[in-house]
Amino acid sequence: MPPSPTPSLHSLLPTLTTSLKSFTTSPSKFRILHRMHPSSPPSTLYVFDSSFNPPTLAHFQIATSALLSHNKHAENEDKRSKRLLLLLATRNADKAAKPATFEQRLGMMVVFGEDLRKWLRGEGREEVGIDIGVTTEPFYHAKAAAIAESGVYSSSDDDDDDDDDDDDDDDDDDDDDDDDDGDDGGKSGGKPQAPLEQVYLLGYDSLIRLFDQKYYEQGKMREALAPFFEKCRVRVTLRENDEWGGKEEQENLVDAIGKGEQGAEREWRERIECVEGMKEAVSSTRAREAAKKGDEEEVRRLCTRSVADRVLRERLYQD
């Protein structure tokens, strides 16, 4: 059966808004607000933490590149189990909640996730589960700890048979409605699972922030990042531009980490993978500027189809 049309966010947004409000007034540090294609717990969780303001083709390239290269790191059958978490921090170390609200961004993240799944299906790839989550933690090591401590990915989801069902129905509407809104995950039951490995998808600018001493208590960066690199990997997409320099200049920072510079431990270099990004400079800033000017062609050139439709239909970034 062909995939169902992308569901309207008209009915989903009130649920997302209610779930977000519930989260922000709770002591929780991490929560999944929407789940696409529930499945058995993954061995590898790709965590894409971004402001998604809005999601662009650069985000799309980073996510699909990581998912398609997953088996390169697979050591056995179990290691091939993967999910993607699109994560939005409600408390960001550098950025305020503007110009798009958190609710608007969550809506764009949902349709962006649907675009990812449709593209992967169109390429004949296996079904990949995608979660939309929020966290109060502004720093990567704290995000990783919050996700691990939540127990969300440590036991069986609601329906382990959805892998087969989704292939038959391809129902974005039905699967996406099984999203456990505001749920901290099924923590009871299920067989023991292998330790979850989190892989953080970063742009080069985020790698710089990861090793910037100003985000840590004085002299505490190694102490904070040691548990992070023990259990997590980092996949960095190099971003050649005037601000960050060329590929060689960016790789110099990673080499410095391998030499124990930048306040790092030498062995952390083995947990960092560098890949090349898009040749064209695509950014959320450019997409916002195009939307503000009402440049539909440019918005569609910079964003996935469903995200562009939403930005243009809702006249986002024009105020």
Side-chain angles (χ1 to χ4, degrees):
M1 181 181 295
S4 302
T6 301
S8 169
L9 282 175
H10 181 72
S11 59
L12 179 59
L13 278 176
T15 304
L16 287 172
T17 300
T18 300
S19 297
L20 177 63
K21 184 176 180 180
S22 172
F23 171 72
T24 55
T25 57
S26 78
S28 299
K29 297 179 180 179
F30 165 72
R31 185 174 295 177
I32 292 175
L33 300 188
H34 190 70
R35 174 159 284 184
M36 306 177 198
H37 187 64
S39 63
S40 57
S43 293
T44 303
L45 179 69
Y46 288 94
V47 183
F48 198 172
D49 173 72
S50 177
S51 59
F52 297 108
N53 196 22
T56 66
L57 288 178
H59 292 97
F60 185 88
Q61 189 272 334
I62 290 173
T64 54
S65 173
L67 293 172
L68 294 178
S69 70
H70 174 77
N71 286 350
K72 171 183 175 183
H73 299 283
E75 297 173 1
N76 51 51
E77 287 296 322
D78 188 52
K79 289 289 284 184
R80 293 187 188 134
S81 172
K82 61 183 180 290
R83 282 189 78 83
L84 173 66
L85 169 63
L86 302 178
L87 186 62
L88 179 66
T90 58
R91 187 166 145 272
N92 193 291
D94 294 309
K95 301 175 183 177
K98 60 180 184 180
T101 66
F102 287 136
E103 291 83 358
Q104 289 170 330
R105 281 187 252 175
L106 287 168
M108 289 188 285
M109 289 163 68
V110 170
V111 296
F112 175 73
E114 290 166 348
D115 282 344
L116 281 171
R117 294 181 66 213
K118 289 176 181 177
W119 184 86
L120 290 167
R121 276 199 300 255
E123 292 293 304
R125 305 291 178 169
E126 63 185 280
E127 191 70 57
V128 175
I130 299 177
D131 296 326
I132 309 298
V134 287
T135 181
T136 56
E137 298 289 2
F139 307 115
Y140 288 109
H141 66 282
K143 297 176 202 285
I147 292 170
E149 292 167 4
S150 74
V152 169
Y153 297 101
S154 62
S155 60
S156 299
D157 288 329
D158 293 340
D159 188 354
D160 288 348
D161 293 328
D162 274 342
D163 285 315
D164 295 331
D165 292 342
D166 195 64
D167 288 338
D168 292 335
D169 297 338
D170 274 326
D171 50 349
D172 284 345
D173 283 330
D174 293 339
D175 273 348
D176 291 348
D177 287 340
D178 291 337
D179 57 303
D180 297 330
D181 291 322
D183 190 4
D184 282 330
K187 301 179 185 178
S188 61
K191 60 184 180 181
Q193 300 293 326
L196 176 72
E197 180 179 56
Q198 299 180 38
V199 180
Y200 280 77
L201 308 181
L202 307 185
Y204 179 74
D205 53 336
S206 296
L207 181 69
I208 291 177
R209 288 196 296 273
L210 181 64
F211 288 98
D212 192 330
Q213 299 275 359
K214 76 177 184 180
Y215 295 117
Y216 305 90
E217 291 183 42
Q218 188 172 2
K220 297 283 189 178
M221 190 184 81
R222 285 194 184 190
E223 182 180 332
L225 290 181
F228 176 81
F229 279 106
E230 181 181 349
K231 298 180 179 179
C232 304
R233 287 191 291 113
V234 171
R235 192 172 200 267
V236 182
T237 298
L238 301 181
R239 204 173 156 183
E240 298 186 40
N241 58 31
D242 293 338
E243 183 176 3
W244 306 117
K247 177 183 176 183
E248 183 176 350
E249 185 176 349
Q250 293 178 26
E251 288 178 336
N252 286 339
L253 171 62
V254 182
D255 291 339
I257 294 169
K259 296 175 182 177
E261 301 172 7
Q262 301 293 320
E265 297 285 354
R266 288 184 176 86
E267 56 267 27
W268 294 353
R269 175 63 183 89
E270 299 174 5
R271 307 288 286 172
I272 301 173
E273 177 188 12
C274 293
V275 296
E276 291 191 49
M278 299 178 67
K279 297 299 181 184
E280 181 186 2
V282 174
S283 69
S284 294
T285 299
R286 288 185 61 187
R288 291 195 300 270
E289 290 172 350
K292 187 174 183 178
K293 296 175 184 177
D295 189 341
E296 178 177 346
E297 182 179 352
E298 182 71 355
V299 170
R300 293 194 180 281
R301 196 174 67 81
L302 297 171
C303 300
T304 64
R305 179 176 179 178
S306 296
V307 171
D309 285 346
R310 181 154 182 77
V311 169
L312 295 167
R313 183 172 58 250
E314 301 297 327
R315 300 178 65 83
L316 300 179
Y317 308 112
Q318 292 197 15
D319 295 331

